[in-house]
Amino acid sequence: MLEVISLGCIRGDRRLFKDLNFSADRGELIEVRGANGSGKTSLLRILCGLAQPAEGEVRWDDQNIRSLGEEYFGSLAYIAHQNGVKDELTAIENLRIAGGVAGNSLGEREAQEILARLGLQKESYLPSRFLSAGQRRRVALARLLATKAKLWILDEVLTSLDTSAIDLSCQFIGEHLSAGGMAIIATHHDLKICAAAMQRVEITT
């Protein structure tokens, strides 16, 4: 279980949020909502251990994530608002490297199958700089299918995707939840995802 306890965040001289509390268990979807600049990305970065909260703590299986280190980081997959796709690498190279970093070495055929599922079979060997914004986003999302992480933390991942890609993404996020995973998603989209349990967290200043 992931627990957020009395979390507060300050950036510069501005308070983004305070006294934020929620938890996520197996199979659960958390939607994070809020206006632009309200602190959604800051919250996700805190949950990933990439930023420190001003107050409160984040716990994973009853332990502060700061004390767990790699044990926690190995349990999560984070896709930020930026894709994190290397322009000089092909789609398949990006995916295989990401899989290796996540501790899941992918063979070429397995990587091809994942990219094909995202509709990128014809673009697998193109340098990523030649891909459209939507195709680059699909490469980023393909990393989720190459990881064994239980917790997916996703920041506006449906941006730049067409309707069919959004539907497909919602489908494999739903499959992750059905398999006992968890997902925390900051989004402006209405998520059509099947989940055993769902919460909406509103970030207000």
Side-chain angles (χ1 to χ4, degrees), residues 154-170:
L154 313 176
D155 193 355
E156 296 289 357
V157 292
L158 304 182
T159 302
S160 300
L161 295 179
D162 58 25
T163 302
S164 63
I166 289 173
D167 290 344
L168 180 60
S169 300
C170 288

Side-chain angles (χ1 to χ4, degrees), residues 21 34 44 48-49 75-76 79-80 112 122 130-131 165 174 178 189 194-195:
N21 295 275
L44 298 193
C48 291
S75 297
L76 71 86
I79 296 183
Q112 285 175 328
K122 293 180 180 177
F130 295 123
L131 301 179
S178 295
H189 290 81
C194 255

Side-chain angles (χ1 to χ4, degrees), residues 86-100:
K86 301 293 185 185
D87 284 344
E88 68 276 12
L89 299 179
T90 65
I92 202 164
E93 288 169 340
N94 269 291
L95 180 57
R96 293 186 70 187
I97 289 171

Side-chain angles (χ1 to χ4, degrees), residues 103-140:
N104 184 28
S105 296
L106 294 174
E108 188 165 351
R109 183 180 220 172
E110 187 178 2
Q112 285 175 328
E113 289 172 353
I114 290 172
L115 290 170
R117 186 172 178 193
L118 273 294
L120 292 169
Q121 57 268 41
K122 293 180 180 177
E123 292 80 16
S124 295
Y125 293 97
L126 276 178
S128 296
R129 65 178 175 273
F130 295 123
L131 301 179
S132 69
Q135 289 169 334
R136 289 165 63 83
R137 198 50 156 173
R138 291 184 190 215
V139 173

